[in-house]
Amino acid sequence: MGSRFEFIAVSGDSVSAKKSIQIGISEVRRLEQMISSWDDNSETSRINQNAGIMSVEVSPELFGLIKRSKKVSVLTDGIFDISYASMDKIWKFDGSMTTFPDSSLVKESVAKINYQDIELEPQSQSVFLRKKGMKIGFGGIGKGFAANVASKKMRESGIENGVVNAGGDLISWGNQADGKPWQIAVTDPKDKKKTIGWLDISNTAVVTSGNYEKFVEFNGQKYTHIINPKTGYPVFGTRSVTIICPDAELADALATSVFILGEKKGLELINTLKGIECFLITDRDELKSSSGLQINYL
């Protein structure tokens, strides 16, 4: 999924621990084959290939992920939208971009972004993208989804304490080997080698979206990989957003959403959601948090 995955299993039996980690790895690989936009044979690619042509029957697992993604789109008034992938050829953050994208191309691609044009047929478990050229992608929710599933499978194998970290999308259960809660560092977005504080968590997901991992620069200006689907352009104003909630998939989607919404609207949204907290750093290096968050600052 383009990220490093880490698995921790705490057990008095090393054989059981290693076995559970292998189960977690296998699950992530299986899910990647399902949701990858780069694999022409994946279910996601088949949906995209048939955009504007016909519906595609998919597995219940993928159907459920798309259905939940649309619910987050409704919650965020379209700020979170998996059909953002219609812009996949406009902005590239792999070092290959040398010129600023043409505004007409950006405008054309944005016209294809609309979660309401993703049709779901529950009876046949099929998905149809109404417009030709539409694409869906799970860059804003896929890692959290994978972390959820992998952790569930590891728990089912008998591991009562552990962590799955999907490149910053982390879910924990139980405690550390010493019985204390897991301690999760909050990265300083200006220096990834430093932290600004930590969170004590158990049976909780912590997901961070930041502008320091993937970006391009033009004329000294940094453009992050997090793009507003309503404008087609990268977002400014925020350096990083951290979401804390029991579900890694939801935390992943909300981290992206709050980053785009910005400080005021983003925190207003989180403060309306029970059991979910948020911590963000603005581009002015101001630290802001939701009403119920407890963080240990260095």
Side-chain angles (χ1 to χ4, degrees), residues 67-269:
K67 184 177 181 180
R68 294 190 299 275
S69 296
K70 290 193 67 173
K71 285 185 177 180
V72 179
S73 296
V74 173
L75 176 67
T76 60
D77 193 26
I79 286 297
F80 178 84
D81 193 328
I82 58 173
S83 65
Y84 82 93
S86 304
M87 297 196 66
D88 65 348
K89 293 183 179 179
I90 307 298
W91 293 92
K92 295 184 182 298
F93 300 93
D94 56 3
S96 62
M97 278 191 78
T98 56
T99 58
F100 198 78
D102 186 277
S103 59
S104 62
L105 293 177
V106 174
K107 185 177 180 180
E108 182 183 344
S109 65
V110 167
K112 298 170 184 173
I113 300 174
N114 189 345
Y115 70 92
Q116 294 176 325
D117 287 329
I118 305 172
E119 290 186 8
L120 299 178
E121 175 47 59
Q123 191 169 1
S124 61
Q125 296 280 289
S126 61
V127 183
F128 177 58
L129 306 183
R130 290 176 183 164
K131 296 179 181 177
K132 268 205 162 188
M134 268 189 80
K135 291 182 179 180
I136 59 171
F138 300 100
I141 196 171
K143 290 189 299 177
F145 165 61
N148 267 1
V149 176
S151 66
K152 181 176 182 289
K153 293 294 184 180
M154 289 175 69
R155 292 196 304 272
E156 288 175 351
S157 75
I159 299 300
E160 297 180 354
N161 307 277
V163 171
V164 176
N165 183 1
D169 294 8
L170 180 150
I171 187 165
S172 71
W173 66 99
N175 296 295
Q176 300 183 69
D178 60 5
K180 295 180 180 179
W182 297 98
Q183 287 191 328
I184 308 302
V186 179
T187 301
D188 183 342
K190 292 197 298 184
D191 187 346
K192 291 189 293 183
K193 295 179 181 178
K194 296 181 180 179
T195 61
I196 59 174
W198 74 92
L199 297 161
D200 293 319
I201 66 168
S202 181
N203 304 313
T204 305
V206 177
V207 172
T208 298
S209 288
N211 68 355
Y212 48 87
E213 292 290 352
K214 298 177 183 178
F215 59 88
V216 292
E217 284 191 39
F218 295 112
N219 300 320
Q221 176 65 61
K222 181 188 292 186
Y223 296 86
T224 178
H225 73 290
I226 301 175
I227 295 173
N228 187 331
K230 294 183 180 293
T231 67
Y233 289 96
V235 180
F236 295 95
T238 308
R239 293 191 192 276
S240 73
V241 171
T242 298
I243 299 290
I244 303 95
C245 84
D247 185 276
E249 177 184 299
L250 179 59
D252 195 0
L254 288 176
T256 303
S257 303
V258 172
F259 196 103
I260 297 170
L261 286 168
E263 171 193 341
K264 186 176 184 296
K265 290 183 179 179
L267 289 177
E268 283 177 358
L269 170 64

